[in-house]
Amino acid sequence: MVGAETSVSRFDRYLLSQLLQLFGFFALVLVAVYWVNRAVGLFDQLIGDGQSALVFLEFTVLTLPNAIRLVLPVAAFAATVYVINRLMQESELVVMQATGFSAFRLARPVLYFGLLVMVMQLVLSNVLVPASQRILSARSAEISQNVTARFLNAGQFMHPAKGITLYIREISQTGELVDLFLADERGDGERVIYTARKAFLVRGEVAPKLVMVDGSTQRLTRAEERLAVTRFADFTLDLAGLVSVGGVAQLPLNALPTAQLLAADQGTQASLGVSAAQMLEEGHSRLAGPMLAVAAPLLGFAALMLGGFSRFGLWRQMALAVGLIITMQLVWTWGSGVAGQMAGAWPALYLAPGLGVAGGGGAAGRGAGAETAESGAGVTLSLYIARRFLGTVGRVFLIFFAILMLVDMIEQLRRFADAGVGLAEAARLSLLSVPETLYRILPLILIMGAIANFLGLARSSELVVVRAAGRSGLRFLLTPLLVAVALGLLTVALFNPLVAATSKAYDSARSALSAGGGSVLSVADTGLWLRQGSEDGQTVIQAARSNLDGTELFGVTFLGFDASGLPATRIEAETARLIEGAWALSGTKTWDLTQPNPEVAAEAATAEVTLPSDLTAERIRDSFGTPSAIAFWDLPGYIGDLERAGFSARAYRLWFQMELAQPLLMAAMVLVAAGFTMRHVRAGGTGRMVIYAMIAGFGIFFLRNFAQALGETGQIPVVVAAWSPPLAAALLSLTLLLHLEEG
């Protein structure tokens, strides 16, 4: 009995160690993917606002606890499914069951594993995340007080405060703001526009001051539509009246201690502007959420135990496991919504983990399977390698697609709960949103697929057989490299336009839902802002709202500048409809700003007036998005149009070069994976090499995004930012492979 008990505890330790190892790997990968995905936007925002790289690192470190908290249950589920599937394929669990182990007994180390992850979740949810959010809130308030940094972005419309719109064509090396446009929409009865040939930011006692040189002030009375124009040689504007400076940051709900949330006292509710139900929901979710870390591994284990050994794998059981997790998450989302609306409904939060644990335990004792035979046709070595490489990458792609769909569907259900979005509509929105994320992390998916492929070939000794047949490692790599380059070309040529189309469709659907089902499209609280240009000068266009495709504007202002940059004309129109090569305006009033008194010379027209324009509906829609929203084949023409209209096209030129470098990046990722993992497993240290390969892959991915941010801000040339990361990675990996080949 003692020997049997020792064997039992030894099996528990063995399975628990396997689960923890894979859990660490999946947690590292998922946190890295989540962090890189969020860090790119954060880096662009902070560096673009003039903050240092140290501030960026501080903010990313502060967001890590919340990122880890979010991915731990998913990592625990993935580790359990992977380990149980491998043990089933290697017949280890079959042997243990043959010795008398029941499924419930086999589930004991899985339960221990879930409890360990739950403890981590409890510490994160109740200690680390609130503390990091408090520090993050305080630092965000400090950053938001840096008014000067918020102004220093050339070539784009900016909205530094509610009702304020700013455009700076260029910022000189000495800090001079060239061709400044500033609109103040905060007044109920009037609208003020400042224009200046140049401007400077200087220090003030309370807030910075904006000194404008050689410009004018336009004050439009909304009710009477009377325009007063004042020209000045120099004018000083105190920014304390335009943007908020100072103030005490209000703590967000997730930064409060758990005890304070569970108390839900009236003072805290009043100070934060939240209800008792919202406080109780946040507090109890910190206690109920970690229980999902127990339910997720048990559900994965139970689903896989429903099938026996099969050489075809346990794909049906794994699909069932994913379906059970999605169901549990949907129940969790429903419980969270109910608890956030009614103060006494917080027990609904415990329903999802309770059902998950009960379902996992109930199904754990069932399952049998039949072994099946597998056969395959003989193919040439190169085709076999290519097929296996594509298959492995495809499986990794599908795994990430399933995970991202699950996470995104939950996010869509939460975001549009007030719009009554159901499961089918959330799935449609996710299908439109997920391709953009997949496209962004495609290099990471490729390196993970390459690592899995090379490890599989090494574990089955196929690499040894290939080398024994006289084929060198570099020659063996030629096929995966060609496949990677082909994948890079296909993603740029075909997947990129698809992603651009789905991104636009998602933005349109999101705008419609956010507007309560209407067709209003707004890019700021002051409305829609556009800019068009010609040889005669530039025109700034502002509209209160627009139809969905941006071809009809309402409450429109056209402010025209001459070739020297001075205001020349101003047109107020009730509507503006985009036709081929022009705007068709109705209900207009036109002021000639070159006249001594523009109001006296103003002309009102009831008939339709046309104004030449080089804008198109596609360009207007695309101007609301990022460069990734423009199809690769449309980028060259779009870049030229942007530059003619006076916008900065640096980000789009950089994106175009990065797309051209995509096949090289794909090849570099395969070389990195091969450099660390294309070795015999008996050499030892396989796990360590996999971690090194993953760190190298994420390092290249982050370096690429870091270079992209530097290129967009003009700190390094566009070509260097786009091509240097993949080129450096390919050369370093090739050097490592040559060293290993010689050794």
Side-chain angles (χ1 to χ4, degrees):
M1 292 296 294
V2 175
E5 192 63 34
T6 303
S7 176
V8 166
S9 60
R10 186 177 300 164
F11 170 77
D12 288 348
R13 288 197 300 270
Y14 169 72
L15 184 53
L16 187 59
S17 66
Q18 294 292 310
L19 289 169
L20 288 174
Q21 288 177 18
L22 269 298
F23 168 72
F25 172 75
F26 282 113
L28 178 65
V29 170
L30 292 174
V31 168
V33 170
Y34 181 90
W35 177 77
V36 168
N37 197 28
R38 295 300 180 95
V40 172
L42 182 63
F43 186 86
D44 289 342
Q45 178 185 349
L46 291 176
I47 299 300
D49 285 348
Q51 305 301 324
S52 66
L54 289 177
V55 174
F56 161 72
L57 290 175
E58 178 187 4
F59 270 61
T60 52
V61 169
L62 289 173
T63 59
L64 275 179
N66 192 49
I68 297 172
R69 178 186 66 86
L70 291 173
V71 306
L72 283 191
V74 180
F77 170 76
T80 303
V81 170
Y82 184 91
V83 169
I84 299 303
N85 177 59
R86 191 183 68 189
L87 294 181
M88 290 287 285
Q89 293 302 307
E90 295 176 357
S91 302
E92 292 183 69
L93 287 185
V94 176
V95 171
M96 294 306 298
Q97 287 179 308
T99 61
F101 273 46
S102 67
F104 287 107
R105 176 61 189 85
L106 292 173
R108 191 168 77 177
V110 178
L111 178 62
Y112 293 161
F113 168 64
L115 291 173
L116 284 175
V117 180
M118 185 183 75
V119 171
M120 299 180 199
Q121 282 275 82
L122 285 170
V123 174
L124 283 165
S125 300
N126 295 279
V127 180
L128 297 181
V129 171
S132 65
Q133 291 298 315
R134 284 193 292 271
I135 300 173
L136 187 62
S137 177
R139 290 291 289 127
S140 298
E142 294 176 14
I143 296 297
S144 67
Q145 295 175 16
N146 189 345
V147 181
T148 303
R150 279 184 282 169
F151 275 87
L152 299 181
N153 287 290
Q156 58 180 306
F157 287 107
M158 295 167 288
H159 309 280
K162 185 176 178 61
I164 303 297
T165 300
L166 176 71
Y167 181 89
I168 302 166
R169 184 175 65 82
E170 184 182 349
I171 302 174
S172 69
Q173 296 292 335
T174 59
E176 179 182 285
L177 312 181
V178 181
D179 289 344
L180 178 136
F181 172 90
L182 178 65
D184 186 355
E185 302 270 348
R186 296 174 301 156
D188 293 333
E190 68 175 9
R191 179 184 178 202
V192 184
I193 291 179
Y194 303 90
T195 60
R197 286 272 191 91
K198 58 183 179 179
F200 305 90
L201 282 169
V202 298
R203 290 185 178 275
E205 294 182 2
V206 179
K209 296 180 184 295
L210 184 65
V211 179
M212 295 178 281
V213 179
D214 192 9
S216 64
T217 303
Q218 303 173 35
R219 293 182 180 271
L220 178 69
T221 305
R222 298 181 187 273
E224 303 173 358
E225 275 203 353
R226 295 182 61 85
L227 182 69
V229 180
T230 304
R231 298 177 178 85
F232 54 80
D234 60 82
F235 181 77
T236 302
L237 188 65
D238 191 352
L239 297 182
L242 295 180
V243 295
S244 58
V245 290
V248 179
Q250 179 176 294
L251 284 177
L253 200 61
N254 60 358
L256 297 179
T258 304
Q260 187 175 354
L261 290 170
L262 295 177
D265 61 273
Q266 306 242 350
T268 306
Q269 295 176 41
S271 63
L272 296 181
V274 296
S275 64
Q278 290 173 309
M279 294 187 67
L280 289 171
E281 187 273 332
E282 175 67 24
H284 282 282
S285 66
R286 296 183 184 180
L287 302 177
M291 297 181 186
L292 295 175
V294 178
L298 285 177
L299 281 177
F301 173 81
L304 264 66
M305 291 302 292
L306 291 175
F309 173 77
S310 170
R311 297 184 65 85
F312 284 132
L314 302 174
W315 293 106
R316 287 181 296 177
Q317 287 76 18
M318 285 190 272
L320 173 63
V322 172
L324 291 174
I325 288 295
I326 292 175
T327 303
M328 185 177 69
Q329 287 292 344
L330 290 176
V331 174
W332 170 262
T333 303
W334 171 82
S336 179
V338 171
Q341 294 174 358
M342 296 182 291
W346 55 263
L349 287 166
Y350 296 89
L351 181 61
L355 289 176
V357 173
R366 302 178 57 191
E371 183 176 351
T372 60
E374 179 181 22
S375 62
V379 292
T380 65
L381 180 59
S382 295
L383 288 178
Y384 171 75
I385 295 170
R387 188 186 65 181
R388 179 152 180 169
F389 181 79
L390 278 173
T392 308
V393 173
R395 285 193 290 271
V396 174
F397 182 88
L398 291 176
I399 289 171
F400 271 90
F401 176 76
I403 293 174
L404 290 173
M405 278 291 295
L406 169 63
V407 174
D408 197 79
M409 283 179 61
I410 295 168
E411 176 64 20
Q412 302 299 341
L413 288 170
R414 183 197 63 79
R415 179 182 297 172
F416 300 115
D418 296 337
V421 169
L423 184 60
E425 181 65 12
R428 186 182 74 86
L429 290 172
S430 296
L431 284 173
L432 295 175
S433 172
V434 165
E436 183 179 4
T437 304
L438 280 173
Y439 188 75
R440 187 182 304 168
I441 65 172
L442 203 55
L444 296 178
I445 293 175
L446 186 68
I447 193 173
M448 283 185 251
I451 290 172
N453 178 68
F454 292 137
L455 284 179
L457 291 173
R459 191 172 283 125
S460 61
S461 300
E462 289 173 277
L463 280 179
V464 177
V465 173
V466 170
R467 286 178 178 269
R471 179 171 288 203
S472 67
L474 292 178
R475 186 183 172 195
F476 172 84
L477 265 180
L478 184 60
T479 300
L481 284 175
L482 290 176
V483 172
V485 171
L487 285 175
L489 292 172
L490 288 174
T491 55
V492 173
L494 301 178
F495 194 30
N496 176 286
L498 175 65
V499 169
T502 56
S503 297
K504 291 176 187 177
Y506 174 72
D507 288 339
S508 299
R510 183 181 60 181
S511 299
L513 289 170
S514 299
S519 60
V520 176
L521 182 60
S522 176
V523 295
D525 60 290
T526 54
L528 180 92
W529 290 88
L530 295 169
R531 190 176 179 92
Q532 67 180 32
S534 66
E535 295 179 356
D536 299 327
Q538 306 284 322
T539 301
V540 174
I541 306 171
Q542 188 269 339
R545 58 191 179 89
S546 158
N547 68 345
L548 188 58
D549 63 1
T551 57
E552 189 171 4
L553 309 178
F554 305 91
V556 198
T557 299
F558 290 83
L559 183 58
F561 296 81
D562 59 23
S564 63
L566 291 176
T569 59
R570 176 169 178 158
I571 302 175
E572 295 286 330
E574 293 178 1
T575 63
R577 182 169 45 87
L578 186 63
I579 59 179
E580 187 175 354
W583 289 100
L585 313 180
S586 61
T588 63
K589 185 174 182 180
T590 305
W591 292 269
D592 185 351
L593 301 180
T594 62
Q595 297 292 323
N597 190 341
E599 182 60 38
V600 175
E603 298 179 356
T606 56
E608 189 173 80
V609 177
T610 59
L611 185 69
S613 174
D614 62 346
L615 292 176
T616 63
E618 290 77 14
R619 281 189 55 207
I620 293 174
R621 288 196 302 268
D622 292 342
S623 66
F624 307 136
T626 59
S628 60
I630 313 297
F632 173 77
W633 305 107
D634 298 332
L635 273 173
Y638 186 74
I639 290 170
D641 293 339
L642 272 181
E643 291 176 338
R644 282 193 297 272
F647 287 97
S648 172
R650 173 179 286 272
Y652 294 85
R653 286 191 284 111
L654 175 59
W655 181 256
F656 182 69
Q657 291 294 326
M658 290 177 66
E659 291 299 282
L660 292 176
Q662 184 86 326
L664 178 60
L665 179 65
M666 296 291 202
M669 289 298 188
V670 173
L671 288 172
V672 169
F676 287 100
T677 59
M678 203 175 73
R679 54 206 296 275
H680 201 283
V681 292
R682 292 188 179 180
T686 301
R688 186 172 66 253
M689 290 296 131
V690 170
I691 292 175
Y692 290 162
M694 291 301 303
I695 292 174
F698 278 104
I700 295 167
F701 187 76
F702 179 74
L703 179 63
R704 178 175 180 252
N705 289 291
F706 183 80
Q708 180 184 2
L710 293 179
E712 288 179 349
T713 56
Q715 298 183 47
I716 59 176
V718 166
V719 175
V720 174
W723 289 90
S724 58
L727 187 60
L731 292 176
L732 289 174
S733 302
L734 194 57
T735 302
L736 176 61
L737 283 168
L738 289 172
H739 172 72
L740 293 175
E741 193 72 12
E742 290 296 327

